[in-house]
Coordinates of all heavy atoms in Angstrom, one line a residue:
L26 N -132.5 79.3 45.5 CA -131.8 80.5 46.0 C -132.2 81.7 45.1 O -132.3 81.5 43.8 CB -130.3 80.4 46.1 CG -129.8 79.2 47.0 CD1 -128.3 79.3 47.0 CD2 -130.4 79.2 48.4
S27 N -132.4 82.8 45.7 CA -132.6 84.0 44.9 C -131.5 85.0 45.3 O -131.0 85.1 46.3 CB -134.0 84.6 45.3 OG -135.1 83.8 45.0
C28 N -131.2 85.8 44.2 CA -130.2 86.9 44.4 C -130.8 88.1 43.8 O -131.0 88.3 42.6 CB -128.9 86.6 43.6 SG -127.7 87.9 43.5
A29 N -131.2 89.1 44.7 CA -131.9 90.3 44.3 C -131.0 91.5 44.4 O -130.3 91.7 45.4 CB -133.2 90.4 45.2
A30 N -131.1 92.3 43.4 CA -130.3 93.5 43.4 C -131.1 94.7 43.8 O -132.3 94.8 43.4 CB -129.7 93.7 42.0
S31 N -130.5 95.6 44.5 CA -131.1 96.9 44.9 C -130.1 98.0 44.6 O -128.9 97.9 44.8 CB -131.3 96.9 46.5 OG -132.3 95.9 46.8
G32 N -130.7 99.1 44.1 CA -129.9 100.2 43.7 C -129.3 100.3 42.4 O -128.7 101.3 42.0
F33 N -129.4 99.2 41.6 CA -128.9 99.1 40.3 C -129.7 98.2 39.5 O -130.3 97.3 40.0 CB -127.4 98.9 40.2 CG -127.0 97.5 40.7 CD1 -126.7 96.5 39.7 CD2 -126.9 97.1 42.0 CE1 -126.4 95.2 40.1 CE2 -126.5 95.9 42.4 CZ -126.3 94.9 41.5
A34 N -129.5 98.3 38.2 CA -130.3 97.5 37.3 C -129.5 96.2 37.0 O -128.5 96.3 36.3 CB -130.7 98.2 36.0
L35 N -130.0 95.1 37.4 CA -129.3 93.8 37.2 C -129.3 93.4 35.8 O -128.4 92.6 35.3 CB -129.9 92.7 38.0 CG -129.0 91.5 38.4 CD1 -127.7 91.9 39.1 CD2 -129.9 90.5 39.2
E36 N -130.2 94.0 34.9 CA -130.3 93.5 33.6 C -129.0 93.7 32.8 O -128.8 93.1 31.7 CB -131.4 94.3 32.9 CG -131.2 95.8 32.8 CD -132.4 96.5 32.2 OE1 -133.4 95.9 31.9 OE2 -132.3 97.8 32.1
T37 N -128.1 94.6 33.2 CA -126.9 94.9 32.4 C -125.7 94.1 33.0 O -124.6 94.2 32.6 CB -126.6 96.3 32.4 OG1 -126.3 96.8 33.7 CG2 -127.6 97.1 31.7
Y38 N -126.0 93.2 34.0 CA -124.9 92.6 34.7 C -125.0 91.1 34.5 O -126.0 90.5 34.6 CB -125.0 92.8 36.2 CG -124.5 94.3 36.6 CD1 -125.4 95.4 36.4 CD2 -123.2 94.5 37.1 CE1 -125.0 96.7 36.7 CE2 -122.8 95.8 37.5 CZ -123.7 96.8 37.2 OH -123.3 98.1 37.6
G39 N -123.8 90.5 34.3 CA -123.7 89.0 34.5 C -123.7 88.7 36.0 O -123.2 89.5 36.8
V40 N -124.2 87.6 36.3 CA -124.2 87.1 37.7 C -123.6 85.8 37.9 O -123.9 84.8 37.1 CB -125.7 87.2 38.2 CG1 -125.8 86.6 39.6 CG2 -126.2 88.6 38.1
A41 N -122.9 85.6 38.9 CA -122.3 84.3 39.2 C -122.7 83.9 40.6 O -123.0 84.7 41.5 CB -120.8 84.3 39.1
W42 N -122.8 82.5 40.8 CA -122.9 82.0 42.1 C -121.6 81.3 42.5 O -121.0 80.5 41.7 CB -124.0 80.9 42.2 CG -125.4 81.5 42.0 CD1 -126.1 81.7 40.8 CD2 -126.2 82.0 43.1 NE1 -127.3 82.2 41.2 CE2 -127.4 82.4 42.5 CE3 -126.0 82.1 44.5 CZ2 -128.5 83.0 43.3 CZ3 -127.1 82.6 45.2 CH2 -128.2 83.1 44.6
F43 N -121.1 81.6 43.7 CA -120.0 80.9 44.4 C -120.5 80.3 45.6 O -121.5 80.6 46.2 CB -118.9 81.9 44.6 CG -118.4 82.6 43.4 CD1 -118.9 83.7 42.9 CD2 -117.2 82.1 42.8 CE1 -118.4 84.4 41.8 CE2 -116.7 82.7 41.6 CZ -117.3 83.9 41.1
R44 N -119.6 79.4 46.1 CA -119.9 78.8 47.4 C -118.6 78.5 48.2 O -117.6 78.3 47.6 CB -120.8 77.5 47.3 CG -120.0 76.3 46.8 CD -121.0 75.2 46.7 NE -120.3 73.9 46.4 CZ -120.9 72.8 46.1 NH1 -122.3 72.7 46.1 NH2 -120.2 71.7 45.8
Q45 N -118.8 78.4 49.5 CA -117.6 78.1 50.3 C -118.1 77.2 51.4 O -118.9 77.5 52.2 CB -117.1 79.4 51.0 CG -115.8 79.1 51.7 CD -115.0 80.3 52.1 OE1 -115.5 81.4 52.1 NE2 -113.7 80.2 52.3
A46 N -117.6 76.0 51.3 CA -117.9 74.9 52.3 C -116.9 75.0 53.5 O -115.9 75.6 53.4 CB -117.8 73.6 51.6
P47 N -117.4 74.4 54.5 CA -116.5 74.4 55.8 C -115.1 73.8 55.5 O -115.0 72.8 54.9 CB -117.3 73.6 56.8 CG -118.7 73.7 56.3 CD -118.7 73.7 54.8
G48 N -114.1 74.6 55.8 CA -112.8 74.1 55.6 C -112.2 74.1 54.2 O -111.1 73.6 53.9
K49 N -113.0 74.7 53.3 CA -112.6 74.8 51.9 C -112.5 76.2 51.3 O -113.0 77.1 51.9 CB -113.5 73.9 51.0 CG -113.6 72.4 51.3 CD -114.5 71.7 50.4 CE -114.4 70.2 50.6 NZ -115.3 69.4 49.7
E50 N -111.8 76.3 50.2 CA -111.8 77.6 49.5 C -113.1 77.9 48.8 O -113.8 76.9 48.4 CB -110.6 77.6 48.5 CG -109.2 77.5 49.2 CD -108.9 78.6 50.1 OE1 -109.2 79.8 49.8 OE2 -108.3 78.3 51.1
R51 N -113.4 79.1 48.6 CA -114.6 79.4 47.8 C -114.4 79.0 46.4 O -113.3 79.1 45.8 CB -114.8 80.9 47.9 CG -116.1 81.3 47.3 CD -116.6 82.7 47.8 NE -115.6 83.8 47.5 CZ -115.7 85.0 48.0 NH1 -116.7 85.3 48.9 NH2 -114.9 85.9 47.7
E52 N -115.4 78.4 45.8 CA -115.4 77.9 44.5 C -116.6 78.4 43.6 O -117.7 78.7 44.2 CB -115.4 76.4 44.5 CG -116.6 75.8 45.2 CD -116.5 74.2 45.2 OE1 -115.6 73.7 44.6 OE2 -117.3 73.6 46.0
G53 N -116.4 78.4 42.4 CA -117.5 78.8 41.5 C -118.5 77.7 41.3 O -118.2 76.5 41.3
V54 N -119.8 78.1 41.2 CA -120.9 77.2 40.9 C -121.4 77.4 39.6 O -121.5 76.4 38.8 CB -122.0 77.4 42.0 CG1 -123.2 76.5 41.7 CG2 -121.4 77.1 43.4
S55 N -121.8 78.6 39.2 CA -122.4 78.8 37.9 C -122.4 80.3 37.6 O -122.3 81.1 38.5 CB -123.8 78.3 37.9 OG -124.5 78.6 36.7
W56 N -122.5 80.7 36.3 CA -122.7 82.1 36.0 C -123.7 82.2 34.8 O -123.8 81.3 34.1 CB -121.5 82.9 35.8 CG -120.5 82.4 34.7 CD1 -119.3 81.8 34.9 CD2 -120.6 82.6 33.3 NE1 -118.6 81.6 33.7 CE2 -119.4 82.1 32.7 CE3 -121.5 83.2 32.4 CZ2 -119.2 82.1 31.3 CZ3 -121.4 83.2 31.1 CH2 -120.2 82.7 30.5
I57 N -124.3 83.4 34.7 CA -125.2 83.6 33.7 C -125.0 84.9 33.1 O -124.8 85.9 33.8 CB -126.7 83.5 34.2 CG1 -127.7 83.6 33.1 CG2 -127.0 84.4 35.4 CD1 -129.2 83.3 33.5
R58 N -125.0 85.1 31.8 CA -124.8 86.3 31.1 C -126.0 87.2 31.4 O -127.1 86.8 31.7 CB -124.7 86.1 29.6 CG -124.4 87.3 28.7 CD -124.2 86.9 27.3 NE -122.9 86.2 27.1 CZ -122.6 85.5 26.0 NH1 -123.5 85.4 25.0 NH2 -121.4 85.0 25.9
S59 N -125.8 88.6 31.2 CA -126.8 89.5 31.6 C -128.1 89.3 30.8 O -129.2 89.5 31.3 CB -126.3 91.0 31.3 OG -126.0 91.2 29.9
T60 N -128.0 88.8 29.5 CA -129.1 88.5 28.7 C -129.7 87.1 28.9 O -130.8 86.9 28.4 CB -128.8 88.6 27.2 OG1 -127.7 87.7 27.0 CG2 -128.3 90.0 26.9
G61 N -129.0 86.3 29.7 CA -129.5 85.0 29.9 C -129.2 84.0 28.8 O -129.6 82.9 28.8
T62 N -128.4 84.5 27.8 CA -128.2 83.7 26.6 C -127.1 82.7 26.7 O -126.9 81.9 25.9 CB -127.9 84.6 25.4 OG1 -126.8 85.5 25.7 CG2 -129.2 85.4 25.1
K63 N -126.3 82.8 27.8 CA -125.3 81.8 28.0 C -125.2 81.6 29.5 O -125.2 82.5 30.3 CB -123.9 82.4 27.5 CG -122.8 81.3 27.6 CD -121.5 81.8 26.9 CE -120.4 80.8 27.0 NZ -119.2 81.2 26.4
I64 N -125.1 80.3 29.9 CA -125.0 79.9 31.2 C -123.9 78.8 31.3 O -123.8 77.9 30.5 CB -126.3 79.3 31.8 CG1 -127.4 80.3 31.6 CG2 -126.1 78.8 33.2 CD1 -128.8 79.7 32.0
V65 N -123.1 79.0 32.3 CA -122.0 78.1 32.5 C -122.1 77.5 33.9 O -122.3 78.2 34.9 CB -120.6 78.7 32.3 CG1 -119.4 77.8 32.7 CG2 -120.5 79.1 30.8
Y66 N -121.8 76.2 34.0 CA -121.8 75.5 35.3 C -120.5 74.8 35.5 O -119.9 74.3 34.6 CB -122.9 74.4 35.4 CG -124.3 74.9 35.2 CD1 -124.9 74.9 33.9 CD2 -125.1 75.4 36.2 CE1 -126.2 75.4 33.7 CE2 -126.4 75.8 36.0 CZ -126.9 75.8 34.8 OH -128.2 76.2 34.6
T67 N -120.0 74.8 36.7 CA -118.9 74.0 37.0 C -119.3 72.5 37.3 O -120.5 72.2 37.5 CB -118.1 74.5 38.2 OG1 -119.0 74.6 39.4 CG2 -117.6 75.9 37.9
D68 N -118.3 71.6 37.3 CA -118.6 70.2 37.3 C -119.2 69.8 38.7 O -119.9 68.8 38.7 CB -117.3 69.4 37.1 CG -116.8 69.4 35.7 OD1 -117.6 69.7 34.8 OD2 -115.6 69.1 35.5
L69 N -119.0 70.6 39.7 CA -119.6 70.3 41.0 C -121.1 70.2 41.0 O -121.7 69.6 41.8 CB -119.1 71.2 42.0 CG -119.5 72.7 42.0 CD1 -120.8 73.0 42.6 CD2 -118.4 73.6 42.6
T70 N -121.7 70.9 40.0 CA -123.2 70.8 40.0 C -123.7 69.5 39.5 O -124.9 69.1 39.8 CB -123.7 71.9 39.1 OG1 -123.4 71.7 37.7 CG2 -123.2 73.3 39.5

């Protein structure tokens, strides 16, 4: 999957991935610091 930003510089932003399965609440998947120096994954990965 790709997440592309338009209209602002993503370089200063942390980015997270969430997902929502049928019949379930939205849950976190992963996030990455703006610099890419830290990445966190949830257990579901």
Side-chain angles (χ1 to χ4, degrees):
L26 304 183
S27 297
C28 173
S31 296
F33 68 100
L35 200 58
E36 64 184 358
T37 63
Y38 288 78
V40 175
W42 290 94
F43 298 87
R44 73 183 189 186
Q45 187 166 22
K49 295 185 177 181
E50 299 295 319
R51 189 157 60 191
E52 61 184 346
V54 176
S55 178
W56 60 253
I57 182 169
R58 187 177 284 167
S59 62
T60 59
T62 55
K63 186 174 182 179
I64 302 172
V65 173
Y66 302 93
T67 55
D68 289 342
L69 64 87
T70 66

